[in-house]
Amino acid sequence: MMSERGASSHAPPSYQHERCSQTCTRDVGGKEGNRHISTGSLRQELAHHPPPTLGSSFSWAVLFTFMASICIRLRPPPWASSRYRPLRPCKGRRGVTQEWLAAFLVPFIRYTHFRYPLRSGVIMAERGQLPFPVKRLCCRPGYGSASRPGQRAGGTSLSSGVLCAGPSSATATVAAAAPGLLPLGKIQSPESLLDIAARKVAEKWPFQQVEERFERIPEPVQRRIVYWSFPRSEKEICMYSSFNTGTEDLTTAPGGAAGGTAPGGGADTAAVDENRLPFRRGIVLLDGGYVDDVLQVGFHLSGTVTDPAMQSEPETVCNVAISFDRCKITSVTCSCGNKDIFYCAHVVALSLYRIRKPDQVKLHLPISETLFQMNRDQLQKFVQYLITVHHTEVLPTAQKLADEILSQNSEINQVHGAPDPTAGASIDDENCWHLDEEQVQEQVKLFLSQGGYHGSGKQLNLLFAKVREMLKMRDSNGARMLTLITEQFMADPRLSLWTQQGTAMTDKYRQLWDELELLQIGVTSITNLEGWVGHPLDPIGTLFSSLIEACRIDDESFHGFSDFTENMGQCKSLEYQQLPEHKFLEEGESYLTLAVEVALIGLGQQRIMPDGLYAQEKVCRNEEQLISKLQEIELDDTLVKIFRKQAVFLLEAGPYSGLGEVIHQDSVPMHTFAKYLFTCLLPHDAELAFKSALRAMRLLVLESMAPLGDTSRPHHIASVVPNRYPRWFTLSHIESQQCELASTMLTAAKGDVQRLEKVLESIQKNIHSSSHIFKLAQDAFKIATLMDNLPDITLLKVSLELGLQVMRMTLSTLNWRRREMVRWLVTCATEIGVYALDSIMQNWFTLFTPTEATSIVATTVMSNSTIVHLHLDCHQQEKLASSARTLALQCAMKDPQNCALSALTLCEKDHIAFETAYQIVLNAATTSMSYSQLFTIARYMEHRGYPMRAYKLATLAITHLNLSYNQDTHPAINDVLWACVLSHSLGKNELAAIIPLVIKSVKCATVLSDILRRCTLTTPGMVGLHGRRNSGKFMSVDKAPLRQLLDATIGAYINTTHSRLTHISPRHYSEFIEFLSKARETFLMAHDGHMQFTQFIDNLKQIYKGKKKLMMLVRERFG
């Protein structure tokens, strides 16, 4: 029995949730005579009339009423790690009051509680004692007084589930076992009503809600709520400290060995891996007695865990702190510095110590409860002792808090109460297990950066398994962890790279995305826009496979039904058979027909293209996989009827069908499915097959944005649609499937003019890629010319029409296959005949550039091989030649720079056309043509026997030229030398006319000297064309026109010398001396050349006398 003194001293005072100066009131008594009393009056009343002991009947009535009312109002509120508690008034001196000390102390404890375990002998005063045994018992089978808390009678360890333990002082037992529950002789340990009620409250209510709901909570009740608030199941501890390895529950095999693992190499390896898990290591530390100084203060558990010394590491002691609420660990801290997703072994060891040995843990109420009992002197002594013990670490913080509290306007004084990390959760706090979200993000990012191969992929799969485990246990962290993983997957830089390039992700990466998507489906809803084919859960594929498996016949079953199949005479496949009547769902139906029908319905469903590269790839992949399964089935008459029925239905079905008349712009195209449907229906109903395939050719997503020109894109970005959201990353694959469908129809329509026209019209309307149209044109050409006999002229015309469309689409765009396309078009037109060739030449400006028209089209048409291939007569040859000349002149007028030479070549056999082309060249020579183009045409004219026209064009070319003094390797030098030789060969007058032009355009001394020597070595006109001779004498350099050239050459040497000496370096000295030697040769060609050169050298010595070494070399060579 408790003494009156003890009862009085331990009567829990009421809580205040307003300012300390306000009073807290409550009703006492019944309806009549109710009175309001202040907190002070209530304390006096309780001091004189302490509550009865727990052993009396009145005690149990009060407790039952109090706890039952709590259980009735159970709610599942959120959780918290620390909250503000109100401060109680107390007597003390003015100035430094008890309230001031408490306000200072509680924030200080909050700062230090994760760093230093609380010691009852230093920082708090213990009060009260555990409740005495009760008389009224609530029996729960399976617990004996001889068993430790959390252990069933008979020694069976309860490693998961609720580990219930009554007060350690309970002695009453029941000898008889309940019938049907325990064997005879087993001992039952009853639980008190207090523990039953406290356990339920601890599971559901945050402690703040309990405080606010009831004004006065007896201290024994508080203790039992705090006692039962710690987790009682080891299963959650295991889940948050270990990956799921796929073996038996780790909690069932204490001591570190995996229960149920068979011996052998694989088992040994698995056991070694499991022993490394934090949960296993925690059990080893617990069993080894390495957990010490365990203390529970309110909702905070602390202790030390010692890591034993290893071969290379010394013994270390780790300080562990755990906060908990409503049977969940809400935060953990360990001085080991563990950086991982899961709890470290030290946290596991301390948690299991508390679960398995609860009676060996010192349990105290929240620290604020202890502070409330101290007077002013006790609080000051407590604070000073605490600061003394840890002054080096916390003295700055203590002084800062003291300054803030002494300041009336500080933020800390604006808030009523002070935080208490040991006081349990707030009402608004979320109640969930501690999960280190930052570590989850970092680990996933690390695994993804390693490419998802081998170890990293295995780790990610283990994370997925952990999410699945959490979701199975209805743990809210499962969805949160899945969200964190998904965010890191979405932020993976490789995903954005694949998205930009339009390339497919790797197989390993796709498998990880599959796992992630399946988990997402488990926690999210399915929208109506998602189709059945391509859906993450693959409903159509699953149903199809199930139905197919139902009708699959093995060898044994097939022999049993052999008579039936012989009578049917329909099914030719031994793998899939129409089953006997007793398995028909309806007349004429079987699992096989249903499977086929289900697949056709799913494939034909209109569905919106999902967002994202991976989802779009999955749509295409699932469709192709389902079609490949259908292709394994041989069609009989029954299945053909189903195909016809579904094709008609899809064509008439409206918005449900992807083959309906009206579909959404972002609808998934039906090309792949339509190609399969077309090949199946073609032998049985060609009209329906073509109707379905033509309807499926649509690609509406491109129709609203296709420009007038080419819509083809470079190959590496072919799947990226510009200026569109959402983007179709699989567009390249979709367009390829569209092209294959069109090619299949072209092949099937060979010889049928009407169907070929419809297919051609569909291609021209729906296909927007020039490369795919060109491929179809080539395919049609191959099909038309496949046989050795005469080609199919209708299909050739289709091929030509497609080729012409390609020419129009690519005319104004860059395409690296353009020349190939032009050459192929001429070949195709040649196969058709003269009319086609003449047509493309007359309409060249809508199909070709001027360069293509002259250099490729007209040249090929006028070639001997074309004439021989077509067996042309003279009239046909002249018709084509006339069209080619007209084309050439038109091109020369439009682009003389690039087409003039080709026009001259094509017009050689027609004098009027040739003169016209030459006049076009002369007109363009002064404005738009470059010197290189003019030199080329001039050489052509000389080659064709027109030297004067060549001379004229050469002079025009020289006027466009400009050679500086240092351009002695310019590509036009040979043309200038050729022009001078040409003019020299024509005569003195022509040479005299061109030399001034050369002097004006050429400033390079070596080029001028070369021209001068060539002109002096031969007589003008001596090497002229056609034996023409003007004179038999050599030209003198002292007379015009060579005198002008000599003076210009000498001047060029002088200017070049000074320019080179301005920036010359010693490594160029020898080269410069050779240059002066060539200059002297030119100087000496003049009658006074020696004197000029000597004067020139003397000037150099005087001007550049600072370059002593160079000038010494000049003296050695030239004196």
Side-chain angles (χ1 to χ4, degrees):
M1 295 292 291
M2 297 178 62
S3 66
E4 290 186 5
R5 178 179 180 276
S8 175
S9 63
H10 295 92
S14 61
Y15 280 32
Q16 276 190 297
H17 293 285
E18 302 297 333
R19 301 294 293 181
C20 296
S21 60
Q22 299 176 353
T23 60
C24 177
T25 63
R26 66 185 182 94
D27 291 338
V28 179
K31 293 182 179 179
E32 297 181 4
N34 286 357
R35 61 189 177 94
H36 295 278
I37 61 176
S38 66
T39 304
S41 300
L42 179 61
R43 288 189 173 184
Q44 293 178 4
E45 181 180 352
L46 291 176
H48 291 87
H49 305 283
T53 61
L54 295 178
S56 66
S57 60
F58 179 78
S59 167
W60 278 111
V62 173
L63 286 176
F64 182 85
T65 303
F66 173 70
M67 300 308 293
S69 64
I70 293 179
C71 294
I72 291 173
R73 296 175 176 82
L74 288 180
R75 299 286 192 278
W79 63 277
S81 60
S82 65
R83 60 184 176 85
Y84 279 71
R85 301 195 73 190
L87 304 178
R88 302 178 184 179
C90 64
K91 296 181 179 180
R93 293 181 302 175
R94 296 184 61 183
V96 181
T97 64
Q98 181 181 2
E99 181 176 354
W100 184 93
L101 285 171
F104 167 77
L105 181 63
V106 177
F108 173 72
I109 295 176
R110 186 186 188 192
Y111 171 75
T112 60
H113 81 285
F114 275 137
R115 301 180 59 185
Y116 306 102
L118 301 176
R119 306 295 181 185
S120 60
V122 177
I123 64 173
M124 68 183 300
E126 173 65 5
R127 63 177 177 140
Q129 53 188 332
L130 292 177
F132 289 129
V134 297
K135 295 181 178 179
R136 296 184 60 188
L137 305 177
C138 177
C139 299
R140 299 185 67 216
Y143 295 90
S145 60
S147 303
R148 64 167 181 165
Q151 186 175 19
R152 289 186 182 272
T156 303
S157 173
L158 284 178
S159 57
S160 61
V162 180
L163 301 181
C164 303
S168 59
S169 60
T171 57
T173 59
V174 179
L181 296 178
L182 287 176
L184 188 62
K186 292 296 182 180
I187 299 176
Q188 293 180 319
S189 177
E191 275 190 301
S192 67
L193 179 60
L194 172 62
D195 277 324
I196 295 174
R199 187 174 66 249
K200 292 299 182 182
V201 171
E203 290 175 358
K204 301 297 183 181
W205 278 28
F207 197 64
Q208 182 184 6
Q209 188 175 4
V210 178
E211 293 175 327
E212 293 181 356
R213 177 63 181 83
F214 303 99
E215 285 186 3
R216 186 175 68 87
I217 306 174
E219 183 175 329
V221 177
Q222 294 187 51
R223 285 181 176 276
R224 300 318 292 168
I225 293 176
V226 170
Y227 174 87
W228 289 112
S229 292
F230 195 85
R232 301 185 287 275
S233 172
E234 296 183 8
K235 189 171 185 179
E236 284 80 6
I237 306 297
C238 177
M239 181 173 68
Y240 279 92
S241 59
S242 302
F243 277 120
N244 186 0
T245 60
T247 59
E248 291 187 10
D249 190 354
L250 296 176
T251 62
T252 62
T261 304
D268 293 341
T269 303
V272 171
D273 292 340
E274 287 174 10
N275 286 335
R276 296 175 181 173
L277 296 176
F279 187 79
R280 289 292 192 198
R281 292 173 51 222
I283 293 177
V284 172
L285 292 174
L286 175 63
D287 294 342
Y290 294 105
V291 182
D292 299 303
D293 301 329
V294 181
L295 175 67
Q296 179 178 342
V297 181
F299 297 86
H300 180 272
L301 182 70
S302 62
T304 60
V305 180
T306 304
D307 261 331
M310 305 297 290
Q311 294 180 351
S312 57
E313 297 180 0
E315 179 181 280
T316 57
V317 178
C318 299
N319 295 319
V320 184
I322 299 175
S323 294
F324 53 90
D325 170 52
R326 285 167 275 177
C327 301
K328 295 178 182 178
I329 292 177
T330 56
S331 68
V332 298
T333 304
C334 182
S335 61
C336 69
N338 174 61
K339 296 291 184 181
D340 199 356
I341 297 174
F342 301 117
Y343 303 163
C344 66
H346 313 106
V347 173
V348 172
L350 182 60
S351 302
L352 295 182
Y353 186 97
R354 174 60 176 80
I355 292 174
R356 297 185 180 184
K357 305 175 182 180
D359 293 338
Q360 298 182 25
V361 178
K362 291 183 179 181
L363 189 148
H364 305 277
L365 293 179
I367 190 64
S368 54
E369 291 290 332
T370 303
L371 298 179
F372 290 153
Q373 301 178 65
M374 297 183 183
N375 57 31
R376 190 258 179 217
D377 294 335
Q378 289 173 324
L379 284 172
Q380 183 170 359
K381 181 178 291 188
F382 174 71
V383 171
Q384 291 183 202
Y385 267 94
L386 186 59
I387 294 175
T388 301
V389 174
H390 303 293
H391 67 280
T392 58
E393 292 87 356
V394 300
L395 187 57
T397 303
Q399 186 60 53
K400 178 182 178 183
L401 289 172
D403 294 340
E404 291 181 359
I405 291 175
L406 288 174
S407 174
Q408 295 297 326
N409 298 325
S410 64
E411 183 179 355
I412 198 171
N413 286 325
Q414 304 303 317
V415 180
H416 177 60
D420 182 1
T422 67
S426 173
I427 294 177
D428 298 328
D429 290 338
E430 185 180 2
N431 180 228
C432 64
W433 285 81
H434 169 73
L435 177 68
D436 193 336
E437 297 183 359
E438 182 180 355
Q439 281 302 312
V440 173
Q441 295 173 322
E442 290 298 323
Q443 292 289 337
V444 176
K445 185 186 298 185
L446 175 63
F447 295 151
L448 290 177
S449 66
Q450 296 172 357
Y453 294 102
H454 191 57
S456 60
K458 180 181 178 182
Q459 294 296 320
L460 286 171
N461 283 321
L462 289 175
L463 275 180
F464 293 149
K466 182 58 63 179
V467 172
R468 196 173 290 109
E469 182 183 1
M470 290 180 176
L471 293 175
K472 183 178 180 181
M473 297 183 67
R474 299 184 180 275
D475 191 326
S476 61
N477 280 335
R480 179 57 188 153
M481 191 171 178
L482 179 59
T483 301
L484 296 173
I485 295 173
T486 304
E487 289 173 353
Q488 293 305 311
F489 267 74
M490 296 300 297
D492 188 356
R494 292 180 303 162
L495 184 63
S496 118
L497 180 63
W498 290 328
T499 298
Q500 293 174 1
Q501 295 180 347
T503 56
M505 59 181 66
T506 62
D507 291 338
K508 291 285 186 181
Y509 202 70
R510 183 181 288 111
Q511 291 174 6
L512 295 174
W513 270 94
D514 283 336
E515 289 290 332
L516 182 63
E517 191 173 17
L518 288 176
L519 286 173
Q520 288 283 2
I521 291 300
V523 295
T524 58
S525 60
I526 301 174
T527 63
N528 294 328
L529 296 178
E530 292 178 301
W532 297 330
V533 175
H535 191 275
L537 296 181
D538 193 19
I540 294 295
T542 303
L543 182 56
F544 175 82
S545 300
S546 300
L547 291 171
I548 284 295
E549 287 299 323
C551 64
R552 187 187 295 271
I553 297 180
D554 54 18
D555 295 339
E556 182 178 354
S557 302
F558 176 72
H559 291 306
F561 296 129
S562 59
D563 296 337
F564 170 76
T565 54
E566 289 177 3
N567 295 332
M568 290 273 295
Q570 300 289 336
C571 299
K572 300 177 182 179
S573 173
L574 298 181
E575 186 175 6
Y576 304 110
Q577 302 291 339
Q578 307 280 359
L579 294 185
E581 292 183 358
H582 69 277
K583 289 195 176 181
F584 282 6
L585 301 180
E586 292 183 8
E587 184 178 355
E589 287 187 347
S590 67
Y591 289 129
L592 181 60
T593 60
L594 289 179
V596 173
E597 194 166 6
V598 163
L600 296 179
I601 292 173
L603 290 168
Q605 178 198 22
Q606 182 177 182
R607 50 197 183 272
I608 300 300
M609 179 67 76
D611 296 335
L613 171 63
Y614 175 76
Q616 293 174 13
E617 282 184 345
K618 196 175 185 73
V619 168
C620 299
R621 189 169 63 252
N622 283 15
E623 181 182 33
E624 292 170 357
Q625 289 172 350
L626 188 55
I627 290 176
S628 66
K629 293 178 181 179
L630 283 172
Q631 289 173 339
E632 297 176 1
I633 303 173
E634 287 195 37
L635 300 184
D636 56 18
D637 292 342
T638 304
L639 296 180
V640 170
K641 291 179 182 179
I642 294 176
F643 271 81
R644 285 178 172 172
K645 171 186 172 183
Q646 287 301 319
V648 173
F649 172 75
L650 291 173
L651 290 172
E652 300 174 354
Y656 158 80
S657 171
L659 296 179
E661 290 187 4
V662 180
I663 60 173
H664 192 274
Q665 181 179 1
D666 290 332
S667 178
V668 174
M670 297 282 108
H671 307 134
T672 307
F673 169 58
K675 178 185 174 184
Y676 169 72
L677 191 63
F678 178 82
T679 55
C680 292
L681 288 175
L682 185 63
H684 309 285
D685 193 337
E687 187 66 26
L688 182 59
F690 273 97
K691 187 176 181 180
S692 303
L694 290 171
R695 180 75 64 83
M697 279 290 292
R698 298 170 295 189
L699 189 54
L700 298 184
V701 70
L702 294 181
E703 290 187 6
S704 61
M705 54 172 296
L708 297 178
D710 182 22
T711 58
S712 63
R713 293 160 295 279
H715 179 70
H716 65 283
I717 57 169
S719 63
V720 177
V721 180
N723 302 325
R724 180 177 182 271
Y725 182 82
R727 298 162 69 185
W728 282 32
F729 304 104
T730 56
L731 185 59
S732 176
H733 174 75
I734 291 172
E735 289 182 298
S736 298
Q737 294 298 315
Q738 183 189 36
C739 180
E740 290 186 14
L741 174 61
S743 180
T744 303
M745 286 194 291
L746 283 175
T747 304
K750 181 180 181 181
D752 191 323
V753 178
Q754 292 183 349
R755 287 178 178 166
L756 281 174
E757 290 178 352
K758 290 182 179 179
V759 175
L760 174 62
E761 181 182 356
S762 179
I763 293 172
Q764 292 175 328
K765 177 183 178 182
N766 297 303
I767 298 183
H768 303 277
S769 169
S770 61
S771 58
H772 287 116
I773 297 179
F774 182 55
K775 180 181 181 302
L776 290 173
Q778 290 178 309
D779 291 345
F781 182 81
K782 291 177 182 178
I783 297 170
T785 58
L786 190 60
M787 300 297 180
D788 294 335
N789 51 5
L790 294 177
D792 188 327
I793 192 64
T794 306
L795 196 53
L796 277 177
K797 290 181 179 179
V798 170
S799 177
L800 179 64
E801 284 296 326
L802 294 175
L804 294 176
Q805 182 175 354
V806 172
M807 292 296 103
R808 288 189 288 267
M809 293 173 66
T810 59
L811 178 60
S812 59
T813 61
L814 295 176
N815 193 304
W816 63 275
R817 301 184 64 188
R818 174 73 183 179
R819 291 184 64 85
E820 176 193 357
M821 294 173 176
V822 173
R823 293 183 184 277
W824 177 88
L825 183 68
V826 176
T827 302
C828 182
T830 303
E831 286 293 329
I832 296 176
V834 176
Y835 170 78
L837 290 174
D838 187 59
S839 176
I840 63 174
M841 285 193 293
Q842 290 183 7
N843 299 284
W844 71 268
F845 49 88
T846 63
L847 304 173
F848 315 107
T849 63
T851 305
E852 293 170 346
T854 54
S855 63
I856 300 177
V857 180
T859 304
T860 305
V861 171
M862 296 296 294
S863 64
N864 290 330
S865 59
T866 302
I867 297 174
V868 173
H869 180 75
L870 294 177
H871 306 288
L872 301 180
D873 54 26
C874 294
H875 175 72
Q876 291 174 326
Q877 292 183 35
E878 181 56 30
K879 182 180 180 180
L880 288 179
S882 177
S883 298
R885 288 192 293 268
T886 303
L887 177 150
L889 294 175
Q890 291 174 347
C891 293
M893 287 289 293
K894 189 173 183 179
D895 186 8
Q897 300 96 325
N898 298 313
C899 300
L901 182 59
S902 297
L904 289 169
T905 304
L906 290 170
C907 296
E908 284 179 354
K909 296 181 179 180
D910 188 286
H911 178 71
I912 297 176
F914 186 81
E915 291 297 325
T916 303
Y918 176 67
Q919 192 59 43
I920 292 173
V921 173
L922 290 180
N923 294 337
T926 57
T927 56
S928 58
M929 297 189 72
S930 65
Y931 65 85
S932 60
Q933 294 167 340
L934 290 173
F935 274 130
T936 302
I937 297 175
R939 287 175 180 270
Y940 163 79
M941 285 296 186
E942 184 194 23
H943 178 70
R944 301 305 299 175
Y946 300 100
M948 290 306 299
R949 292 185 176 184
Y951 170 77
K952 176 67 174 176
L953 294 173
T955 56
L956 291 173
I958 291 176
T959 59
H960 295 338
L961 184 64
N962 183 20
L963 262 70
S964 61
Y965 73 94
N966 58 350
Q967 290 183 301
D968 52 359
T969 58
H970 195 280
I973 291 176
N974 289 331
D975 292 325
V976 174
L977 294 175
W978 169 82
C980 292
V981 172
L982 174 65
S983 60
H984 186 272
S985 66
L986 293 177
K988 183 177 180 180
N989 294 333
E990 287 78 5
L991 181 62
I994 202 173
I995 283 179
L997 299 177
V998 172
I999 294 173
K1000 182 179 180 180
S1001 300
V1002 180
K1003 305 299 181 182
C1004 183
T1006 55
V1007 175
L1008 291 175
S1009 64
D1010 195 3
I1011 295 174
L1012 181 62
R1013 286 186 179 85
R1014 289 176 183 244
C1015 292
T1016 57
L1017 291 177
T1018 58
T1019 302
M1022 292 299 292
V1023 277
L1025 299 175
H1026 310 295
R1028 181 180 176 182
R1029 300 177 183 270
N1030 290 337
S1031 174
K1033 297 181 180 180
F1034 292 101
M1035 296 184 67
S1036 171
V1037 294
D1038 294 330
K1039 298 181 180 180
L1042 294 186
R1043 180 64 190 182
Q1044 295 173 312
L1045 182 60
L1046 177 60
D1047 292 342
T1049 304
I1050 292 174
Y1053 268 115
I1054 294 173
N1055 293 332
T1056 304
T1057 300
H1058 287 292
S1059 297
R1060 296 183 67 171
L1061 285 174
T1062 303
H1063 303 290
I1064 195 169
S1065 61
R1067 61 192 179 95
H1068 293 139
Y1069 285 173
S1070 59
E1071 180 182 346
F1072 178 75
I1073 297 300
E1074 295 298 325
F1075 174 78
L1076 288 180
S1077 299
K1078 294 180 179 179
R1080 182 173 60 179
E1081 295 176 1
T1082 303
F1083 273 83
L1084 294 178
M1085 294 179 69
H1087 70 281
D1088 58 347
H1090 180 75
M1091 182 180 64
Q1092 291 185 40
F1093 184 74
T1094 301
Q1095 184 178 0
F1096 172 58
I1097 294 297
D1098 292 341
N1099 289 337
L1100 291 180
K1101 295 176 183 177
Q1102 182 65 28
I1103 296 173
Y1104 301 101
K1105 59 184 178 181
K1107 301 181 183 295
K1108 296 180 180 180
K1109 184 177 181 181
L1110 177 61
M1111 292 302 104
M1112 182 183 67
L1113 295 175
V1114 171
R1115 291 190 191 92
E1116 290 178 356
R1117 177 68 67 91
F1118 306 108

